[in-house]
Amino acid sequence: MCGIFALASIERLSDDDLLVRRSLKRVSHRGPDDYNIVSVGRDGPWITLGHARLAVVGNANAVQPLEWSKEESLFHLVVNGEIYNYQQLREKLVTESLCKPHEFKTNGDSEVLLACLVNRGLEWTLKNIVGMYAFVLVESSVRNGRIRSITMCRDVFGIKPLCYAINQEQKVLVISSEMAAIPKNFGDVHVKDVLPSTHVKVQCYIECETIFWSMTETTYGNELRYKLIDNQEKMGDDTLTRVIRSRLIEAVTIRIPTGGVKWGVLLSGGLDSSLIAAIAADVVYPSPLHTFTITFSEEDPGVGLMADRDIRIETMDVAVVRASVPLYLLSRHISSKKFKVVLCGEGADESFAGYRLFEEFNTSISDDCNKFTNELKRRLFSIDTSELQRVDRCTSACGLEARVPFMDLNLFKTVMEIDNREKMSHPSQGKIQKYILRRAFDGYLPDSVLYREKEQFADGIGRSWVAKLQAHATAAFPHYDNKEESEGALYKALLQFTPESQEELPFEIRELLIEERKARRRKNDYVGKISKPGSSQPARWHKVRHDEELQKINLSVEDAHHFLRNVLGWSNDTIQSLSHNEESLDKLIVSMLSRVPFHNLTLLTRERRPPSMEEIKDDMMKGLGGPCSVVNAFFALLLDKLGFGPHVYLLSCHINDRSDCHVAILLQIKGLRYFVDVANAKPYTRAVQLGDTTVNSCLGGSFQWTLAYSSESDMMQVRHVNE
């Protein structure tokens, strides 16, 4: 991870070297270890290349800008990023006699990238390098020193940033890793991003004896986008899980630094970062793995951080900024411990459709499948304006390099082979988000982690600090309709008045690029039921282990085993052999239906009031049974204590279009959701996966029932077929 700044001019500027040094200083946080400046060109145009280095790969000589000559051309390169397969590429160039070993002056990855560009060309290089990168390549004439072309390029997903601005009147081109480094000296310019999967070639041309900059923008890697749109293939389950697993393991492995660089993993506790941490731990075993996580106490660092204006993430998006606060604080701590590289889990939700919004698309509706594909595509190919931008700015502000294994192209190509319908997680399918990824790593992590329901990053670490931040924003900007708008106004003000605002471009110019990124991110976006920007996603169900009232029943594991023995009649051997699968669950259901009565008779023995938690436990432990709410609530707690948790929920049911008329259980086992009911006049004698719509029969065939999705309630319903 490094910082780039370059200044090109058709007419020589008197202070170009000083301008580059001052501007490079404003991105020096990206490369605190070293910096260097090189001027290229003779008799116009000229370019001064500046590079601030974070030393991760290569020896002390691996200082940029790098230089390579071939025939009549001289090439200079500055690059921000890492090329993970540089050793293989170097060997290939030497084996094919395109380079000699002594031509390499460093042992770093950047020089191999330059050698590929010079000896194999841009197109071949972009197809064969594996990594993340944003670079500027300058080709000039060996004979007269005249610059022939300047090429700017970013990787397919835009993991590393690069922007530029042209002032045709002053005949100046400015290129930078971050917008903040572009000085205000050049008047009214339009700052643009080099878009992901794009390279921009800049040359000079003469018209009416006047020299202008000419720009040619070319996209590459388009086959990935078309594949996502047109894909209708379906891989076999065994092949799918095997390939996804091996691809992710490879993606993590090649991103682990070597050569003694201190590195770690950002561990949120969710699926994606946990998988990366587990894989990394296996790769480096028996060496220890460093992981970092964060939570907030009641003391609130968030507001103070905003007031200090430390985060330079170039956005006013409430959700992005809010998620940046904990990441920046964590990055600052990691950097203080002399770490240089972190691996993180960004990109999995975009590739595997992990956001709650994706649950709104129904696989049985053709138009929904098209909308799903479009939304997946939009999020994937604008991720540089959201998650990747947040990660890059927060980590690089602290001199850290973030590596994202889920953005590995080989893994991504494999994921694109999957029929998009297999990635969908509509309630009618009865499965958790990212089920394919979870299934691929079944047994690799504890089920409690692997099949954990998703939480937003800013929600998962606690939300009390957000409320305080919003109160601070509302007090500072009281004239808005709601607290989210006041929060957005705060972020705009912080971006407008930065410590270096006297040297930066006017805010109005910077705001144009911010709005362009927003427009690209929001283009054709799907407006869902839970997609309000910056809002917390409410929990759909509440786990019984988190229900304070139910926990007053105070059921222990010993109580659960006592109940199985004395009420359900299970032997100790049967209890010991209990597994957390559908077969054991059905056995428990049958035992409950045959041994524990469902009735309202206990209400007649007491005054007319809800039973206390102590009374519920006493009645159930004696096998007396009770109303549906009592029996199913107790059974839900029993399942949790027997190890079927943590995904056991008690919820209101819809039966034959009647709402809130019954209480039943929702249980998740290995990513699949099941309907369970042991307290109904109509016996549902087995657990049914919510995606299973077959007709179930019991009572000698006199009672038939099934599950069906209701578009009116947007829920799964129990339907009695023969009533």
Side-chain angles (χ1 to χ4, degrees), residues 342-354:
V342 289
L343 275 60
C344 57
E346 269 66 24
D349 287 324
E350 286 76 13
S351 295
F352 290 93

Side-chain angles (χ1 to χ4, degrees), residues 97 303 487 611:
S97 300
V303 174
E487 191 179 353

Side-chain angles (χ1 to χ4, degrees), residues 537-572:
Q537 295 180 357
R540 292 158 297 182
W541 316 296
H542 296 282
K543 300 173 185 177
V544 294
R545 66 171 53 175
H546 295 162
D547 189 313
E548 294 182 1
E549 277 300 304
L550 278 181
Q551 290 304 317
K552 292 178 182 177
I553 290 179
N554 197 27
L555 189 71
S556 66
V557 175
E558 291 73 19
D559 291 334
H561 289 172
H562 178 86
F563 179 84
L564 294 182
R565 283 191 298 269
N566 294 358
V567 177
L568 301 189
W570 285 31
S571 67
N572 287 328

